[in-house]
Amino acid sequence: QVQLVQSGSELKNPGASVKVSCKASGYTFTTHAIHWMRQAPGQGLEWMGWINTNTGNPTYAQGFTGRFVFSLDTSVNTAYLQISSLKAEDSALYFCARVDLQLLLDYWGQGTLVAVSS
Amino acid sequence: DIQMTQSPSSLSASVGDRVTITCRASQGIRNDLGWYQQKPGKAPKRLIYGASNLQSGVPSRFSGSGSGTEFTLTISSLQPEDFATYFCLQHNSYPRTFGQGTKVEMK
């Protein structure tokens, strides 16, 4: 069965970096793009962008350029979200999800909590 | 960007109640909409795709309707496991945008 399993919670100091992983199983990784979403405490979901798992080409939403990087390691069917120069306002739950053939998100990871605090 | 306005933001209901949640799009999105259920600490689960198609394995008490700018998720008879947050997502254009969510709580 299709599964996306994300890495565990992270507590980071301001200015540090974090790398969140999203390991896929149960399907051919390179045939479905991976999208990333952010959910700040008590807020709705915000779409961050997506990565083409066939070409590795990332697309970032406005507000998620510069410090945010999507990457892949297709040898282990894993997508990554790296955030650098962390700020307190980056504290949130981060989700990965894959898209179906109609480009609608179908399967999601369980979320990774990133807390930024000194 | 397409704005998705979801209402209500929360509701209180009892087991057996009929529950209706609405998403309005700021411009027409055909039927490019999905509905999801989110429980704390769990991966969101897709309930409906293409505005009205029931995801395999999802109970038939869930249904979706609408096209263009107005969409509805209905739970015909609320069950204990349905107390959760529900949100819509449009995939008609980029950036993808979500409704703000509806928390369904026990009355």
Side-chain angles (χ1 to χ4, degrees):
Chain A
Q1 73 283 20
V2 174
Q3 272 195 302
L4 297 175
V5 179
Q6 296 184 227
S7 48
S9 299
E10 301 268 10
L11 175 59
K12 295 289 184 180
N13 290 324
S17 294
V18 68
K19 194 169 187 177
V20 176
S21 66
C22 171
K23 184 171 176 61
S25 61
Y27 71 99
T28 302
F29 182 65
T30 54
T31 59
H32 296 261
I34 294 288
H35 290 227
W36 289 94
M37 277 65 61
R38 179 172 78 179
Q39 188 170 38
Q43 303 297 309
L45 285 155
E46 193 175 12
W47 183 75
M48 301 174 65
W50 65 286
I51 186 163
N52 184 318
T53 51
N54 188 41
T55 65
N57 184 50
T59 299
Y60 300 97
Q62 213 166 13
F64 293 100
T65 56
R67 297 189 299 116
F68 299 83
V69 176
F70 306 146
S71 61
L72 303 172
D73 184 342
T74 55
S75 69
V76 290
N77 294 341
T78 300
Y80 300 95
L81 162 65
Q82 184 161 1
I83 312 171
S84 58
S85 302
L86 282 163
K87 307 173 183 179
E89 52 264 41
D90 294 324
S91 296
L93 194 55
Y94 291 84
F95 289 98
C96 65
R98 73 161 213 180
V99 291
D100 64 15
L101 297 180
Q102 283 70 46
L103 304 183
L104 175 63
L105 305 183
D106 55 2
Y107 292 94
W108 294 60
Q110 82 277 18
T112 296
L113 183 64
V114 174
V116 183
S117 175
S118 54
Chain B
D1 298 2
I2 296 174
Q3 310 302 319
M4 300 301 297
T5 303
Q6 186 172 340
S7 61
S9 57
S10 66
L11 64 90
S12 297
S14 301
V15 172
D17 283 354
R18 182 182 184 87
V19 168
T20 300
I21 299 167
T22 298
C23 266
R24 287 188 176 87
S26 60
Q27 63 191 74
I29 58 169
R30 302 183 304 184
N31 65 343
D32 298 332
L33 182 119
W35 288 99
Y36 300 81
Q37 178 190 69
Q38 185 179 17
K39 294 182 178 180
K42 298 289 185 88
K45 176 185 175 183
R46 191 169 79 175
L47 304 173
I48 300 287
Y49 63 94
S52 60
N53 299 292
L54 191 67
Q55 181 74 25
S56 174
V58 173
S60 58
R61 62 181 179 273
F62 291 94
S63 64
S65 64
S67 182
T69 61
E70 186 143 344
F71 302 87
T72 299
L73 173 71
T74 300
I75 310 172
S76 60
S77 177
L78 196 67
Q79 297 302 299
E81 59 268 31
D82 301 336
F83 292 100
T85 298
Y86 296 85
F87 61 89
C88 62
L89 164 65
Q90 69 80 18
H91 65 111
N92 179 264
S93 66
Y94 290 104
R96 302 300 196 231
T97 45
F98 294 87
Q100 279 296 100
T102 296
K103 188 172 185 179
V104 177
E105 298 174 302
M106 194 176 302
K107 186 183 285 185

